[in-house]
mmCIF file of all heavy atoms in Angstrom:
data_model
loop_
_atom_site.group_PDB
_atom_site.id
_atom_site.type_symbol
_atom_site.label_atom_id
_atom_site.label_comp_id
_atom_site.label_asym_id
_atom_site.label_seq_id
_atom_site.Cartn_x
_atom_site.Cartn_y
_atom_site.Cartn_z
ATOM 1 N N ARG B 278 12.454 15.991 -8.017
ATOM 2 C CA ARG B 278 12.996 16.981 -7.037
ATOM 3 C C ARG B 278 12.340 18.337 -7.237
ATOM 4 O O ARG B 278 11.959 18.996 -6.269
ATOM 5 C CB ARG B 278 14.489 17.032 -7.133
ATOM 6 C CG ARG B 278 15.191 17.979 -6.198
ATOM 7 C CD ARG B 278 16.641 17.775 -6.335
ATOM 8 N NE ARG B 278 17.159 18.447 -7.551
ATOM 9 C CZ ARG B 278 17.998 17.796 -8.390
ATOM 10 N NH1 ARG B 278 18.439 16.595 -8.099
ATOM 11 N NH2 ARG B 278 18.373 18.359 -9.507
ATOM 12 N N LEU B 298 20.324 8.187 -1.953
ATOM 13 C CA LEU B 298 21.086 9.030 -2.803
ATOM 14 C C LEU B 298 21.384 10.265 -2.016
ATOM 15 O O LEU B 298 20.549 11.209 -1.842
ATOM 16 C CB LEU B 298 20.353 9.380 -4.114
ATOM 17 C CG LEU B 298 20.150 8.118 -5.042
ATOM 18 C CD1 LEU B 298 19.226 8.540 -6.156
ATOM 19 C CD2 LEU B 298 21.436 7.609 -5.490
ATOM 20 N N LEU B 299 22.586 10.374 -1.471
ATOM 21 C CA LEU B 299 22.966 11.499 -0.607
ATOM 22 C C LEU B 299 22.902 12.838 -1.289
ATOM 23 O O LEU B 299 22.422 13.820 -0.747
ATOM 24 C CB LEU B 299 24.337 11.259 -0.002
ATOM 25 C CG LEU B 299 24.376 10.034 0.881
ATOM 26 C CD1 LEU B 299 25.803 9.646 1.178
ATOM 27 C CD2 LEU B 299 23.634 10.327 2.224
ATOM 28 N N SER B 300 23.350 12.812 -2.543
ATOM 29 C CA SER B 300 23.401 14.084 -3.265
ATOM 30 C C SER B 300 22.014 14.638 -3.455
ATOM 31 O O SER B 300 21.737 15.830 -3.512
ATOM 32 C CB SER B 300 24.071 13.916 -4.563
ATOM 33 O OG SER B 300 23.488 12.856 -5.312
ATOM 34 N N GLU B 301 21.086 13.668 -3.599
ATOM 35 C CA GLU B 301 19.709 13.964 -3.799
ATOM 36 C C GLU B 301 19.122 14.779 -2.551
ATOM 37 O O GLU B 301 18.535 15.745 -2.638
ATOM 38 C CB GLU B 301 18.982 12.642 -3.874
ATOM 39 C CG GLU B 301 17.980 12.480 -5.008
ATOM 40 C CD GLU B 301 18.089 13.553 -5.982
ATOM 41 O OE1 GLU B 301 19.005 13.575 -6.781
ATOM 42 O OE2 GLU B 301 17.195 14.420 -5.995
ATOM 43 N N ILE B 302 19.411 14.158 -1.406
ATOM 44 C CA ILE B 302 19.003 14.722 -0.153
ATOM 45 C C ILE B 302 19.621 16.096 0.063
ATOM 46 O O ILE B 302 18.904 17.033 0.426
ATOM 47 C CB ILE B 302 19.421 13.829 1.033
ATOM 48 C CG1 ILE B 302 18.799 12.462 0.929
ATOM 49 C CG2 ILE B 302 19.236 14.476 2.333
ATOM 50 C CD1 ILE B 302 17.471 12.304 1.640
ATOM 51 N N GLU B 303 20.844 16.202 -0.385
ATOM 52 C CA GLU B 303 21.626 17.513 -0.221
ATOM 53 C C GLU B 303 20.865 18.620 -1.031
ATOM 54 O O GLU B 303 20.777 19.674 -0.540
ATOM 55 C CB GLU B 303 22.992 17.322 -0.721
ATOM 56 C CG GLU B 303 24.010 18.247 -0.051
ATOM 57 C CD GLU B 303 25.424 17.757 -0.349
ATOM 58 O OE1 GLU B 303 25.623 16.951 -1.270
ATOM 59 O OE2 GLU B 303 26.331 18.270 0.324
ATOM 60 N N LEU B 304 20.361 18.213 -2.224
ATOM 61 C CA LEU B 304 19.754 19.179 -3.064
ATOM 62 C C LEU B 304 18.373 19.515 -2.660
ATOM 63 O O LEU B 304 17.781 20.603 -3.037
ATOM 64 C CB LEU B 304 19.782 18.680 -4.551
ATOM 65 C CG LEU B 304 21.113 18.665 -5.214
ATOM 66 C CD1 LEU B 304 21.002 17.807 -6.519
ATOM 67 C CD2 LEU B 304 21.550 20.114 -5.464
ATOM 68 N N MET B 305 17.739 18.537 -1.996
ATOM 69 C CA MET B 305 16.294 18.771 -1.721
ATOM 70 C C MET B 305 16.012 19.315 -0.372
ATOM 71 O O MET B 305 14.998 19.972 -0.228
ATOM 72 C CB MET B 305 15.652 17.347 -1.879
ATOM 73 C CG MET B 305 14.369 17.331 -2.596
ATOM 74 S SD MET B 305 13.555 15.783 -2.701
ATOM 75 C CE MET B 305 14.801 14.612 -3.031
ATOM 76 N N LEU B 401 28.118 16.004 1.735
ATOM 77 C CA LEU B 401 27.285 15.357 2.764
ATOM 78 C C LEU B 401 27.720 13.824 2.799
ATOM 79 O O LEU B 401 27.713 13.246 3.833
ATOM 80 C CB LEU B 401 25.853 15.370 2.243
ATOM 81 C CG LEU B 401 24.779 14.937 3.284
ATOM 82 C CD1 LEU B 401 24.902 15.597 4.567
ATOM 83 C CD2 LEU B 401 23.405 15.063 2.721
ATOM 84 N N GLU B 402 28.171 13.333 1.702
ATOM 85 C CA GLU B 402 28.545 11.988 1.654
ATOM 86 C C GLU B 402 29.800 11.728 2.523
ATOM 87 O O GLU B 402 29.758 10.789 3.368
ATOM 88 C CB GLU B 402 28.921 11.568 0.180
ATOM 89 C CG GLU B 402 29.372 10.147 0.101
ATOM 90 C CD GLU B 402 29.503 9.670 -1.343
ATOM 91 O OE1 GLU B 402 28.481 9.839 -2.095
ATOM 92 O OE2 GLU B 402 30.557 9.217 -1.761
#
Side-chain angles (χ1 to χ4, degrees):
Chain B
R278 185 172 68 229
L298 295 174
L299 295 164
S300 55
E301 225 18 70
I302 296 267
E303 207 167 15
L304 288 168
M305 221 182 319
L401 189 56
E402 182 170 305

